[in-house]
Amino acid sequence: MSAMFVVTGTGIQFAQNKRNEGKGVRYSMDDWDRKMMARDKQLTGSIRGQSDKPVAPEEFKINSVWKVYDSFRNDFL
């Protein structure tokens, strides 16, 4: 019985570690954290990845959700 708890706990720990790219789990995120995660996703392609480059890549100009929203809004409203 205790072996089942060990296997389950190890599996959950592995899944969380894999999902967060080896970094700790984020608790009590606010809007700022969510916005920074979206920015990190645009810059690096990963929610947990961060970039130290002072200039954003060229793709950053065209992969904004707002451009999709504007075109969607203009087409249907």
Side-chain angles (χ1 to χ4, degrees):
M1 181 115 171
S2 60
M4 288 183 356
F5 287 115
V6 170
V7 170
T8 303
T10 304
I12 290 172
Q13 184 66 29
F14 175 77
Q16 285 180 346
N17 198 8
K18 187 77 171 163
R19 183 179 62 208
N20 290 319
E21 298 174 5
K23 298 178 182 176
V25 180
R26 291 183 175 178
Y27 294 105
S28 64
M29 291 187 301
D30 57 359
D31 288 338
W32 176 259
D33 292 327
R34 289 185 188 91
K35 288 177 185 177
M36 290 297 107
M37 288 171 66
R39 177 188 165 271
D40 292 341
K41 175 83 172 162
Q42 286 180 318
L43 282 174
T44 63
S46 170
I47 292 176
R48 297 300 303 259
Q50 295 179 349
S51 177
D52 61 349
K53 297 177 184 170
V55 179
E58 282 296 316
E59 300 87 33
F60 191 73
K61 293 179 183 176
I62 58 172
N63 66 356
S64 175
V65 70
W66 291 108
K67 292 188 184 223
V68 174
Y69 174 75
D70 283 341
S71 65
F72 177 77
R73 186 181 60 175
N74 291 337
D75 290 342
F76 292 105
L77 294 179

